[in-house]
Amino acid sequence: MDTATLTVRDNGPGVPEAELAHIFQPFYRVGEARERSSGGVGLGLSIADRTVKLHGGTVRAENVTGGLLITMELPVSSSPVAAQPAAEKVSVS
């Protein structure tokens, strides 16, 4: 089956190797990012992980020189849902 690959990379300090396995857990924030003033609440990666997995894909994170790389792979369908005709609504009086 064909797959589509989406990568997202930042230029931050990366994530400590011991914490990489945890960053997809809901509300998990790396030690340096736990202050409220630093941003989100730790849901973005968990939502992405769950969504990708529900669509039969995979998501992984790895440290690269000068940042963090997130790779998402999703199966490509040969018959997209958008191409299917919408069901007609029937109203009964």
Side-chain angles (χ1 to χ4, degrees), residues 3 8 12-16 18 20 28 34 43 67-68 77-79 81-82 85 90:
T3 59
V8 178
V15 174
L20 276 175
Y28 188 84
R34 290 194 177 152
L43 288 175
L68 181 70
S77 174
S78 60
S79 57
V81 174
V90 177

Side-chain angles (χ1 to χ4, degrees), residues 1-79:
M1 176 177 278
D2 291 329
T3 59
T5 303
L6 172 68
T7 58
V8 178
R9 180 174 182 220
D10 71 14
N11 294 314
V15 174
E17 290 293 325
E19 296 192 54
L20 276 175
H22 304 288
I23 63 173
F24 294 103
Q25 296 171 1
F27 304 107
Y28 188 84
R29 296 177 66 188
V30 176
E32 299 87 38
R34 290 194 177 152
E35 294 180 18
R36 192 144 192 56
S37 63
S38 68
V41 295
L43 288 175
L45 288 175
S46 67
I47 291 170
D49 181 59
R50 179 79 172 143
T51 303
V52 168
K53 287 179 179 175
L54 284 171
H55 285 87
T58 60
V59 63
R60 67 182 179 279
E62 61 186 303
N63 286 308
V64 294
T65 303
L68 181 70
L69 178 70
I70 305 290
T71 303
M72 294 172 262
E73 294 182 343
L74 291 160
V76 177
S77 174
S78 60
S79 57

